[in-house]
Every structure is written in structure tokens, then in C-alpha cells.
């Protein structure tokens, strides 16, 4: 990422947004004139995360300890709320049902789409850009 930022190349990353590295990279990119686009996918309840990891393990996938899931969920939302103003194009997707649904879009500081059934986790973003 650092190399791409220095060279002005476009790139994308996947992150839980639970750690600080992605935020630091976004700050660097923004300072270099990048536009930040984010698709943030979340579930309405952390128990759904825990259940989905258990299902993945049952199907042969890797485990994540429950404590880590809970901690990452909390810090991910905190980082989103704290840094949303840095994001030029933000698309929130609620993946609580089988098919993820776009629930809110913010482009250049303006809400450009909002579903009529906004989940509670998206309210802090809506309030920031009202």
C-alpha cells in the first residue's frame, strides 16, 4: 500500500477495520490526494458473526475466538464512525440476511441513498451526514 500511495497508483484492500493500519493508510492516501471509496459490510448483531464463524468451522474453515469477534466488531464500528468524514464515497451494506442489501450511501459528504429500514448500527453514520 505504501508503495502504491507513493506512486499514485489505484489500489484496494480488504479489512475488518478493527485495527489501526487501514485507517493510517487511508490518512496517508487522503493526504496524497486520493479519493477514498469504502464498501462497509456489517451484520446487525454480533451473534450473527459468531454463528457464521461456527458454520465456517463446521465446513472446514478457520476459527476465530468469540472474544476476538466481539472485540473486532466493536472496534470496527468505532473506527467507521470516527473516520467516516475521511471517506469520499461510503456504501453501507447490511449482510444480516442471505443477500447483502445496500442500506446507506454517502457521496462527498451527502447522503445519496437511504433505505426505509435502516438498521441501528447505521444510525451514527446517518446522523453525521444529515
Amino acid at each position: 500500500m505504501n508503495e502504491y500511495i507513493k506512486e499514485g497508483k489505484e489500489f484496494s484492500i480488504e479489512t475488518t477495520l478493527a485495527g489501526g493500519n487501514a485507517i493510517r493508510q487511508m490518512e496517508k492516501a487522503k493526504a496524497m490526494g486520493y479519493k477514498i471509496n469504502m464498501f462497509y459490510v456489517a451484520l446487525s448483531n454480533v451473534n450473527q458473526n459468531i454463528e457464521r464463524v461456527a458454520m465456517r468451522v463446521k465446513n472446514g474453515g478457520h476459527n476465530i475466538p468469540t472474544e476476538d469477534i466481539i472485540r473486532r466488531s466493536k472496534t470496527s464500528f468505532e473506527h467507521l464512525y470516527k473516520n467516516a468524514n475521511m471517506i469520499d464515497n461510503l456504501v453501507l451494506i447490511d449482510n444480516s440476511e442471505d443477500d447483502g442489501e445496500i442500506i446507506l450511501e454517502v457521496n462527498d459528504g451527502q447522503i445519496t441513498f437511504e433505505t426505509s429500514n435502516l438498521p441501528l448500527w447505521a444510525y451514527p453514520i446517518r446522523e453525521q451526514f444529515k
Side-chain angles (χ1 to χ4, degrees), residues 34 53 59 81 116 125:
Y34 277 80
V53 168
N59 291 321
Y81 303 150
S116 59
I125 296 297

Side-chain angles (χ1 to χ4, degrees), residues 19-20 22 29 32 34 38 46 49 76 83-84 101 105 112 115-116 122 127:
M32 295 293 291
Y34 277 80
M38 179 181 289
V46 72
N49 296 64
S76 178
N83 296 285
E101 176 188 0
E105 290 184 43
T112 56
T115 187
S116 59
E127 293 306 308

Side-chain angles (χ1 to χ4, degrees), residues 67-99:
E67 313 80 57
D68 290 349
I69 295 169
I70 294 168
R71 177 180 44 79
R72 288 177 185 169
S73 177
K74 182 178 184 285
T75 57
S76 178
F77 282 127
E78 288 171 355
H79 286 158
L80 173 67
Y81 303 150
K82 182 179 177 186
N83 296 285
N85 61 344
M86 182 180 8
I87 303 164
D88 297 289
N89 302 297
L90 175 60
V91 178
L92 301 184
I93 301 168
D94 185 69
N95 203 27
S96 299
E97 301 299 323
D98 290 335
D99 295 324

